Amino acid sequence: MPREFVILSPEPVTAVEVVTAAAAVDGGLGAGRLWQGGGIQIASTEGLVLAVLRSTQLEDPREARRGLGLPVTDPASSDHPADRPTDGPATDRWWTEAYGPFDGPLTQALARRLADDVQGTLVTTGDDR
């Protein structure tokens, strides 16, 4: 069963950011295109580590956050922490899906690194056994 991730971010995730995050996690990882440019896959000698699909712009970031079970903060409210830009839906303009093997040792590390690099929020939507 694959592990599924969603990254909500202020800007779309690019292939350059995926490759840069992969190199930071493990310099031996390789990259390849998916579906004629619809995404990028990162693999090791053992196989797939993470497939990252092209980002999609969100019409209503609040609905995306609600659907993922994340808190929804009104960016104009006084309880919105100014030092946490990813807490509010105003910055969650892009949705990026990624998939990898459930037990892949590098999968979670790469997904986390990529989300951090793009200043995004990482949500694991697959089975967390």
Side-chain angles (χ1 to χ4, degrees):
M1 171 179 243
R3 183 169 292 237
E4 304 168 14
F5 302 94
V6 172
I7 298 173
L8 298 176
S9 58
E11 298 294 329
V13 175
T14 68
V16 170
E17 290 160 334
V18 175
V19 170
T20 300
V25 169
D26 183 330
L29 296 175
R33 281 186 342 157
L34 288 174
W35 307 298
Q36 301 170 349
I40 186 168
Q41 70 176 5
I42 302 297
S44 69
T45 56
E46 287 82 38
L48 177 69
V49 173
L50 194 67
V52 182
L53 305 184
R54 182 178 288 156
S55 299
T56 303
Q57 190 167 16
L58 295 169
E59 287 185 34
D60 188 346
R62 293 170 299 187
E63 290 304 314
R65 289 184 70 84
R66 279 187 195 103
L68 291 169
L70 297 173
V72 178
T73 305
D74 178 2
S77 74
S78 60
D79 65 341
H80 177 69
D83 63 336
R84 291 290 317 273
T86 58
D87 272 354
T91 60
D92 294 340
R93 292 282 174 216
W94 294 89
W95 170 290
T96 306
E97 293 180 29
Y99 302 90
F102 186 84
D103 295 324
L106 296 174
T107 300
Q108 184 76 31
L110 178 52
R112 165 59 42 216
R113 177 63 188 244
L114 179 58
D116 289 348
D117 286 357
V118 300
Q119 299 175 356
T121 300
L122 178 68
V123 179
T124 303
T125 61
D127 179 8
D128 281 334
R129 289 185 228 186

